[in-house]
Amino acid sequence: MTAVAPTRADAALREIEERVLWLASAIVDHANRVRPNPTGLKVGGHQASSASITTIMTALWLETLGPEDRVSVKPHASPVLHALEYLLGQLPADKLTTLREFGGLQSYPSRLKDPVPADYSTGSVGIGATAPIWGAIARRYVNTQFGTGGAGRQWSLVGDAELDEGAVWEAVVDPMVAELGEVVWVVDLNRQSLDRVVPTFGATRLQGMFAAAGWQVLTVKYGALLEELFTRDGGPELRDRIDEMTNPEYQRMLRRSADELRAQLPGDGAGAAAIAGLIAGVADDDLVAAVRNLGGHDLAALRTAFGQIDDTRPTVVLAYTLKGYGLATEGHPQNHSALLSEAQLHELAARVGVDPADPWARFAPTSEPGRLLSAAAGRLARTEHEGAPAPAVPTDLGRTPNGTATTQAALGRTLLDLNRAAPEAGARVVTVSPDVSSSTNLGGWVNKVGVWSAEDRRDWFSDDPETILHWRERPSGQHVELGIAEVNLVGLMGELGSTWNRWSQPLLPIGVMYDPFVSRALEPWSFGVYAGGQSILVGTPSGVTLAGEGGAHQSITTPSIGLEQPGVVTYEPGFALDTEWCLLASLGRLGRPDGTSAYLRLSTRPVDQTLAAVPDDPAARERRRRQVVAGAYVLRRVAEPAVTVVTMGAMITEGLAAADRLTGLGHPADVVVVTSPGLLFRALQARRGQDDAATAVLDQAFPADRAVPMVTVLDGHPHTLAFLAGIHRVPAVHLGVTRFGQSGDLASVYRHHGIDTDAVVAAALDLV
Ligand SMILES: Cc1ncc(C[n+]2csc(CCOP(=O)(O)OP(=O)(O)O)c2C)c(N)n1
Ligand SMILES: [Mg+2]
């Protein structure tokens, strides 16, 4: 691509670019060399990664972005972001000395923890990069349902090695993504990752991969200086030589003197003589400048590329850059975490015209750079979006299931009932599933609300009488179906769960996947929760209770994960009504400043619902409900307990059967049903002053005067409930699953893992 002619403002833009480079370097320098560091522990920060993307970000913030655009910035460029925020008057000067300080600028751009909220949190490579894709879908969803999400591009500034992450490609190839014209990625193609020069970096391969997925591909390879050389005699040979050079050889050229370049640059190919002839006529300084003259550092070349974005499909701009551009560490393979020495920093200061004794100096408002900055600040000023508060969610829909039901089926049922009982809340529910909506019992709900798509699509099976699941795709649909990629699913959930504070439109997102795949999705979901996304993750079916579906599909560690995950309340209900109550309580905590996410672990085990013995009296029913959503309740109370059986989820049936047998054997047993180990753990911590959670549930479910030996049993790792014995320090045995399983019928599988009724009885007899 050839650059357009430089504009009058280019010199001022260059000055701003150099000041951004200076500030980003100085922010990291201050954190590492100036701020006192009594422990001597590494602070860190990335000057070379920042320098690599400084031109790109300057071009974007000063010329290209609009007020409705949102940008995800690669993690190690946070100093550049803060430098721009500072120059644009958003970030006060006293924050520039706080990088990585407690309460200061975060290591990586953060939506919730930085003084100027980042548009997207980044840091988990591949996840921050893809977030704007999901943000774009979430905004389109808000626009089709409520019409208030605004427009604007969704940018992602991506490190080239981030493209090693599978998460990137899972997102790029999702069929929904090819329609997103507002998505633009700029790849900072510096051919370096953390520890190495990427051996063979096929830009051509990358171009092909993005193009095959339907993306517009723009490549900004060379700057104006090199492009001009390429037009001279020997120019085509020089272009071929640089095009064909390996990454390490090219990186080595960056650190050579002019004399060395004259010897090395021609190479030993057919074009060597022509290249030698060409560069013989180039002055030393120009030659050194020319080898590093890549398009990602050429404002005009970037401007041209950004001007070509067609907005009809996603765009990727592959911008060739140098890691450490303009710094003494430029192009060095080990520059990722390298810090400039004091002398090198002073050299930089001298080159860009800054006094190191006054590192945070601003441009005079009347200067050309000052004028450009104030124009950009005005252009980027954002207006608040008008929206709605989170809807009121009922706590009880008043039904009492009898007969046999599963907790998984209760999910779909509750959503349908909610739509009827509280249409305003129902209208904000959006379900998401990675190609498992019918196998996770969402079929009825999907039939009712339809499948979301930005435009109406024809349902070719609407007149087929044998079709039970109707796939009506329309902008008013409330179910989003993605391909089988759990990481994409949680990425979208994080963004649907952020619309309440991004666009002032709260949604109640519920993502459903098989429970064993929760661990695959966990890190990106957790990152989304960290970034402010509030959503409900439903894992179903779960545990070894999915028996026949196979050993590899059985989930063992998820109850423990649920207990430990920050920002999330985890429930594992055993009855349909408990599921409804937990779901409603979780929905009621979404889309608000003090909100939390939830994880519901459900099952396909048919359970006799009369075992729940739901009280008829409205006050007693409400008391039960409160205990269910608080974490536990006493389901059976005997006169003089000899043992307490604590049971959860699918194991309630075994817990009750064992209690009956123990009582018959002369060892009367109380039965406590746990719905949330995490809430109980927090209550216990609170009782000891370590948490601010409510503690009443402990006195109600585990009163001191009934403290007797305890057996706990769950379909998951037994340590999840082991802490309960510590409430009153009673002797205890903890049953659960600790080994990989295998397919089989329920009775065999339970016996194999020692969680069957016999095992509970035997454990209790050992104790009493
Ligand atoms: C999932 C994940 N894996 C590993 C890391 C550690 N890490 C941070 S940056 C990085 C290399 C980044 O290289 P690139 O994206 O090319 O960035 P740049 O060269 O611009 O610094 C690695 C391995 C991480 N943050 N997240
Ligand atoms: Mg890189």
Side-chain angles (χ1 to χ4, degrees):
M1 176 178 311
T2 44
V4 295
T7 68
R8 201 178 68 85
D10 270 10
L13 259 187
R14 269 281 162 212
E15 258 189 86
I16 294 170
E17 180 200 339
E18 288 182 337
R19 187 65 60 89
V20 172
L21 176 65
W22 162 259
L23 286 170
S25 307
I27 288 170
V28 177
D29 183 75
H30 187 97
N32 285 274
R33 293 183 189 279
V34 182
R35 200 165 67 216
N37 179 2
T39 60
L41 203 69
K42 173 192 161 190
V43 179
H46 300 86
Q47 291 171 327
S49 301
S50 294
S52 182
I53 202 164
T54 296
T55 324
I56 293 169
M57 288 178 67
T58 305
L60 282 174
W61 264 256
L62 269 291
E63 295 194 319
T64 313
L65 298 180
E68 301 261 72
D69 288 10
R70 297 292 180 267
V71 193
S72 167
V73 176
K74 71 169 190 175
H76 293 168
S78 65
V80 182
L81 181 63
H82 300 315
L84 282 162
E85 290 165 349
Y86 170 65
L87 289 176
L88 291 166
Q90 301 163 349
L91 185 73
D94 60 4
K95 292 289 180 196
L96 298 176
T97 54
T98 66
L99 181 71
R100 300 183 171 216
E101 187 175 74
F102 188 77
L105 297 171
Q106 299 300 296
S107 312
Y108 308 122
S110 172
R111 271 192 83 207
L112 298 190
K113 296 194 158 50
D114 268 329
V116 179
D119 288 344
Y120 287 96
S121 294
T122 60
S124 172
V125 163
I127 301 306
T130 48
I133 285 182
W134 313 120
I137 294 177
R139 183 163 66 181
R140 283 183 178 220
Y141 186 90
V142 163
N143 275 334
T144 53
Q145 308 280 357
F146 309 105
T148 56
R153 288 187 182 139
Q154 296 274 359
W155 297 79
S156 193
L157 311 185
V158 186
D160 51 352
E162 279 199 84
L163 301 181
D164 291 346
E165 281 286 353
V168 163
W169 299 104
E170 287 184 40
V172 165
V173 302
D174 190 277
M176 207 177 275
V177 173
E179 297 172 11
L180 303 175
E182 67 271 46
V183 167
V184 184
W185 286 20
V186 184
V187 180
D188 177 357
L189 210 85
N190 59 26
R191 297 160 309 280
Q192 286 187 248
S193 55
L194 204 161
D195 280 334
R196 62 175 192 168
V197 176
V198 181
T200 47
F201 202 86
T204 342
R205 188 180 48 143
L206 275 184
Q207 289 160 345
M209 286 164 76
F210 278 105
W215 288 49
Q216 178 188 20
V217 181
L218 300 171
T219 304
V220 192
K221 191 159 184 183
Y222 298 118
L225 202 55
L226 267 179
E227 291 287 359
E228 194 277 322
L229 281 185
F230 294 155
T231 63
R232 300 192 201 172
D233 280 350
E237 288 81 359
L238 178 62
R239 179 195 285 272
D240 289 347
R241 166 81 172 115
I242 299 182
D243 277 349
E244 281 156 25
M245 206 177 274
T246 66
N247 290 333
E249 186 182 4
Y250 178 73
Q251 294 293 126
R252 187 68 191 88
M253 293 288 169
L254 301 174
R255 304 190 65 79
R256 294 198 189 281
S257 67
D259 282 346
E260 289 169 336
L261 283 175
R262 287 183 204 287
Q264 303 285 334
L265 193 53
D268 47 18
I275 299 170
L278 168 63
I279 63 179
V282 178
D284 280 0
D285 286 354
D286 290 345
L287 183 58
V288 170
V291 288
R292 51 186 32 65
N293 183 233
L294 297 184
H297 300 297
D298 189 308
L299 287 162
L302 288 167
R303 182 182 301 134
T304 305
F306 295 151
Q308 290 172 346
I309 297 168
D310 69 15
D311 291 320
T312 63
R313 51 196 161 144
T315 298
V316 60
V317 180
L318 300 172
Y320 280 67
T321 55
L322 300 175
K323 194 151 174 169
Y325 177 74
L327 306 181
T329 52
E330 185 177 281
H332 195 276
Q334 265 84 56
N335 65 8
H336 185 78
S337 311
L339 293 171
L340 297 179
S341 67
E342 191 179 0
Q344 290 169 332
L345 192 79
H346 284 196
E347 246 173 66
L348 174 65
R351 186 166 67 73
V352 301
V354 174
D355 173 6
D358 182 17
W360 319 124
R362 289 176 182 280
F363 290 107
T366 50
S367 66
E368 185 67 6
R371 214 186 45 73
L372 283 183
L373 283 163
S374 106
R379 193 187 69 244
L380 294 172
R382 293 179 178 178
T383 43
E384 282 286 308
H385 281 262
E386 285 209 8
V393 179
T395 54
D396 187 349
L397 300 174
R399 286 189 324 117
T400 307
N402 43 36
T404 297
T406 72
T407 54
Q408 173 173 296
L411 167 72
R413 170 93 240 174
T414 303
L415 291 178
L416 285 169
D417 288 350
L418 175 68
N419 236 12
R420 269 191 296 274
E424 267 191 38
R428 300 222 167 228
V429 171
V430 48
T431 55
V432 202
S433 135
D435 199 29
V436 292
S437 50
S438 57
S439 50
T440 55
N441 276 131
L442 282 179
W445 162 256
V446 173
N447 277 344
K448 177 93 177 75
V449 298
V451 177
W452 179 82
S453 75
E455 272 145 41
D456 271 306
R457 297 231 169 94
R458 180 152 178 193
D459 175 9
W460 290 98
F461 282 84
S462 60
D463 56 350
D464 175 7
E466 282 170 35
T467 297
I468 301 166
L469 181 65
H470 292 290
W471 209 252
R472 284 190 306 262
E473 296 178 83
R474 53 196 181 195
S476 62
Q478 285 179 253
H479 173 79
V480 186
E481 188 87 350
L482 295 174
I484 322 169
E486 282 75 15
V487 172
N488 284 350
L489 179 96
V490 294
L492 179 56
M493 284 168 65
E495 290 307 319
L496 291 168
S498 298
T499 58
W500 67 275
N501 71 354
R502 236 188 239 301
W503 315 113
S504 300
Q505 288 294 352
L507 296 174
L508 309 178
I510 302 174
V512 186
M513 67 176 73
Y514 274 41
D515 197 57
F517 310 131
V518 164
S519 15
R520 182 186 302 204
L522 183 64
E523 189 271 334
W525 187 55
S526 174
F527 193 77
V529 172
Y530 159 81
Q534 296 170 10
S535 61
I536 298 176
L537 181 58
V538 178
T540 185
S542 62
V544 299
T545 301
L546 53 76
E549 293 199 52
H553 271 28
Q554 295 163 347
S555 58
I556 296 164
T557 59
T558 44
S560 167
I561 287 172
L563 189 156
E564 291 149 13
Q565 177 60 43
V568 172
V569 173
T570 298
Y571 288 115
E572 183 165 347
F575 294 114
L577 186 54
D578 293 5
T579 309
E580 174 189 306
W581 287 337
C582 292
L583 179 65
L584 294 173
S586 303
L587 288 169
R589 292 192 203 107
L590 296 178
R592 52 199 82 220
D594 56 348
T596 38
S597 293
Y599 162 37
L600 269 60
R601 189 173 186 256
L602 304 182
S603 165
T604 40
R605 181 173 191 190
V607 171
D608 173 4
Q609 298 299 308
T610 59
L611 292 175
V614 181
D616 287 332
D617 178 80
R621 177 184 170 108
E622 173 59 10
R623 182 169 180 273
R624 163 74 70 89
R625 188 198 67 79
R626 286 192 187 166
Q627 292 175 358
V628 166
V629 302
Y633 61 97
V634 180
L635 180 53
R636 184 149 324 155
R637 180 161 283 181
V638 293
E640 291 276 326
V643 62
T644 308
V645 175
V646 180
T647 178
M648 181 165 80
M651 305 313 301
I652 294 179
T653 312
E654 278 61 33
L656 285 170
D660 284 345
R661 277 172 54 188
L662 286 164
T663 305
L665 289 167
H667 306 291
D670 280 352
V671 177
V672 176
V673 170
V674 171
T675 51
S676 176
L679 289 179
L680 295 182
F681 186 73
R682 287 194 58 191
L684 189 56
Q685 292 285 86
R687 186 181 268 178
R688 292 166 187 163
Q690 302 295 318
D691 199 305
D692 53 10
T695 62
V697 64
L698 290 183
D699 296 324
Q700 290 167 357
F702 300 96
D705 59 356
R706 303 183 74 81
V708 288
M710 175 186 285
V711 180
T712 64
V713 59
L714 75 150
D715 181 358
H717 199 281
H719 101 109
T720 316
L721 295 180
F723 72 94
L724 295 174
I727 299 175
H728 299 299
R729 300 195 168 83
V730 294
V733 176
H734 307 294
L735 306 180
V737 181
T738 54
R739 290 172 292 161
F740 288 118
Q742 59 173 343
S743 312
D745 62 282
L746 207 59
S748 311
V749 167
Y750 281 180
R751 198 173 325 112
H752 173 70
H753 291 287
I755 53 174
D756 56 332
T757 305
D758 282 351
V760 179
V761 171
L765 290 176
D766 281 347
L767 287 168
V768 294

